[in-house]
Amino acid sequence: MSDLTELEAIGMAASLVEQLDAPGIGDEIYALAAELYPICRSITGPGVRETLAILQRSVPLEVREVPTGAPVLDWTVPKEWSIRDAYIKNAAGERVVDFREHALHVMSYSTPVRATMPLQELKKHIFTLPDQPDLIPYRTSYYNENWAFCMRQRALDALPDGAYEVLIDSELKDGVLNYGEYVHVGESSDEVLFSAHICHPQLANDNCSGLALLTLLAARLKGVKTRHSYRFLWAPGTIGAIAWLAANETNTSRIKHGLVLSCVGDAGGPTYKRTRRGDALIDRAMTHVLSAATAAPNIIDFFPYGYDERQYNSPGYLLDVGLFQRSQFATFPEYHTSADNMDFIRPEHLAKSYSWIVGAIDILERDRAYLNLAPKGEPQLGRRRLYAAIGGDKDSYAKSLAMLWVLNLSDGGHTLLQIAERANTPFATIAAIADLLEEKGLLAKA
Ligand code: ZN
């Protein structure tokens, strides 16, 4: 092997990334999301259990139960909601709105109703999107007993006056709130938390994409040795995260880093919302990965609205959990409408989202400080076959420069990520160089 090839052999793909990444991952995530898509989920009920049962085929996650009425932090677990059927029928007995056609047609947590009423009265219980007349909106009423239908404005406009038969065959009763939990045990009890919300019905990007990506990530991680332990949560938004926090008061201090995932399958973004702290390792890791991968990532500061990062970053916990998305929620026209369907997400976008998250995991796993064991002057790299001939080969030059950065900053006070940031070089390259220098006896872990 020549001097040059040894340096050139340093690729972007480090061992962990190789083990987690795989061709076809985007198609696998997409197929799983497609299977979850038609299920009518809510914050409780059979749709959540059906979804978790599908995920269990890929990962041995535990299905947890918290009973209705249980106090969880400042909240109370609500009644369990289920729905069998719902429709609006015209005078001819035809279903002009049909729950079986789309789960979004019924406001989530609608109380049961069976009545016949004039259109004018029925309209008080109908949501549409006048600006997007061909789309069905997504509406919920979890903590306020009410019933409503959601429909296309164009379909509503086509309804003649008259009496309509209305049925919502739903039930609100004492039951349980469910969430799924899986822990991958690493060398350390320090944990990385991954969390995705499981409460949305028939919406593809928000959040079948996140549920499916997390599941296949957990499945891949299962066979891999890691430094950290990894905890995965598939939980209903807000109340699920709150129920988990309430049940794990003594465990939350183990969580050192985390990411909430939602809307990870569209072409937009990428978006990363920082932790409340703002400069946590996960913030720097995601910023580094996304900045290296895309020209203009949308990296935003924490604000106390959005997904369950709100709960994890609440002042009583202050866990370093950020939010990863493609398009930022509520900024795209398909958001919370029937246009958030399986055509809106694509395997190639899911594959990219997956690879960026794996890139961040690689940083969490391998970031550490080293000591240069020959710190007086530059060590003679040529003698150790580490010096690349510079002439003409830009890549070799970049790697040689990266190696000099690693040697120069390995004083025990700079971690590899800090070196990667300062050298403006991908972390994977810096980490691979550190491995090589350690093998050559020039570096030791600090
Ligand atoms: Zn949503």
Side-chain angles (χ1 to χ4, degrees):
M1 198 193 283
S2 75
D3 296 352
L4 225 128
T5 51
E6 187 142 8
L7 242 195
E8 280 172 351
I10 296 171
M12 293 296 292
S15 58
L16 178 83
V17 175
E18 273 168 4
Q19 287 176 77
L20 288 176
D21 220 340
I25 186 73
D27 292 317
E28 274 184 65
I29 299 169
Y30 186 86
L32 181 54
E35 198 177 349
L36 304 177
Y37 173 68
I39 300 171
C40 181
R41 281 165 294 268
S42 187
I43 51 173
T44 61
V48 174
R49 286 189 287 275
E50 191 186 336
T51 300
L52 290 171
I54 291 171
L55 303 185
Q56 270 177 324
R57 296 202 312 252
S58 303
V59 178
L61 61 86
E62 303 276 350
V63 178
R64 310 277 185 219
E65 286 187 2
V66 190
T68 298
V72 286
L73 306 183
D74 196 44
W75 296 58
T76 304
V77 172
K79 286 185 174 158
E80 185 176 315
W81 185 71
S82 58
I83 180 161
R84 283 168 292 268
D85 194 10
Y87 57 74
I88 299 173
K89 277 186 184 171
N90 63 16
E94 297 158 339
R95 291 185 179 222
V96 294
V97 173
D98 188 354
F99 172 71
R100 296 176 308 191
E101 181 243 328
H102 207 298
L104 292 183
H105 274 315
V106 174
M107 180 173 74
S108 191
Y109 260 67
S110 279
T111 50
V113 61
R114 184 185 290 273
T116 300
M117 61 183 72
L119 184 60
Q120 284 316 311
E121 196 184 330
L122 177 56
K123 277 185 175 172
K124 294 177 198 155
H125 292 275
I126 290 180
F127 288 106
T128 61
L129 295 167
D131 296 338
Q132 296 169 295
D134 293 312
L135 304 183
I136 310 166
Y138 165 51
R139 291 282 185 278
T140 67
S141 186
Y142 301 135
Y143 304 102
N144 232 336
E145 292 210 348
N146 200 352
W147 64 269
F149 287 89
C150 302
M151 63 188 290
R152 300 172 179 94
Q153 179 70 48
R154 222 179 281 284
L156 179 62
D157 292 343
L159 294 182
D161 277 334
Y164 287 83
E165 184 191 336
V166 170
L167 172 88
I168 296 181
D169 183 9
S170 64
E171 198 175 7
L172 276 165
K173 59 171 189 198
D174 285 353
V176 294
L177 172 140
N178 296 106
Y179 59 87
E181 185 169 24
Y182 170 72
V183 179
H184 167 84
V185 179
E187 287 164 26
S188 158
S189 60
D190 284 357
E191 288 184 6
V192 182
L193 174 71
F194 283 103
S195 173
H197 64 279
I198 199 169
C199 50
H200 286 28
Q202 213 164 345
L203 293 164
N205 203 30
D206 183 17
N207 192 25
C208 294
S209 68
L211 297 172
L213 191 154
L214 262 205
T215 302
L216 294 173
L217 175 64
R220 286 282 155 85
L221 205 55
K222 206 165 156 272
V224 178
K225 272 197 170 163
T226 57
R227 185 169 143 198
H228 296 85
S229 294
Y230 289 78
R231 185 178 299 272
F232 293 83
L233 285 182
W234 298 262
T238 308
I239 189 73
I242 282 175
W244 182 84
L245 286 165
N248 290 273
E249 201 63 51
T250 53
N251 293 334
T252 53
S253 61
R254 290 191 198 157
I255 294 172
K256 305 299 180 199
H257 323 279
L259 268 187
V260 169
L261 300 192
S262 81
C263 306
V264 295
D266 68 288
T271 299
Y272 176 71
K273 176 180 160 184
R274 295 184 183 98
T275 65
R276 197 187 93 157
R277 200 185 308 276
D279 62 349
L281 182 56
I282 188 69
D283 297 320
R284 292 172 45 231
M286 287 303 292
T287 302
H288 181 75
V289 167
L290 299 182
S291 302
T294 63
N298 179 31
I299 294 175
I300 53 180
D301 278 330
F302 177 80
F303 56 97
Y305 192 68
Y307 296 94
D308 286 326
E309 68 281 2
R310 293 147 70 173
Q311 313 309 331
Y312 305 128
N313 283 272
S314 60
Y317 295 104
L318 275 188
L319 305 180
D320 287 339
V321 178
L323 167 67
F324 173 70
Q325 305 198 285
R326 298 301 297 265
S327 292
Q328 192 181 343
F329 72 91
T331 64
F332 50 98
E334 296 84 357
Y335 177 76
H336 281 189
T337 76
S338 53
D340 182 358
N341 58 30
M342 291 307 296
D343 292 331
F344 182 52
I345 66 173
R346 298 304 313 154
E348 57 269 30
H349 309 320
L350 292 162
K352 273 202 173 147
S353 296
Y354 178 91
S355 75
W356 294 333
I357 291 161
V358 166
I361 291 176
D362 190 44
I363 294 175
L364 299 179
E365 285 291 307
R366 298 204 290 167
D367 190 37
R368 59 172 29 147
Y370 286 81
L371 272 178
N372 179 343
L373 300 178
K376 295 188 171 172
E378 268 178 18
Q380 196 188 356
L381 298 176
R383 178 158 64 81
R384 298 176 174 89
R385 310 200 317 169
L386 289 170
Y387 194 75
I390 287 171
D393 183 347
K394 265 194 204 161
D395 196 38
S396 292
Y397 169 73
K399 283 174 180 168
S400 294
L401 182 58
M403 182 172 283
L404 294 173
W405 271 117
V406 173
L407 286 165
N408 186 279
L409 291 177
S410 286
D411 53 8
H414 294 83
T415 71
L416 296 182
L417 180 57
Q418 286 173 313
I419 297 171
E421 287 165 345
R422 181 134 174 212
N424 197 20
T425 299
F427 176 86
T429 303
I430 294 292
I433 286 171
D435 285 347
L436 179 60
L437 290 174
E438 191 180 17
E439 202 181 292
K440 296 283 181 181
L442 284 172
L443 284 191
K445 290 184 176 77

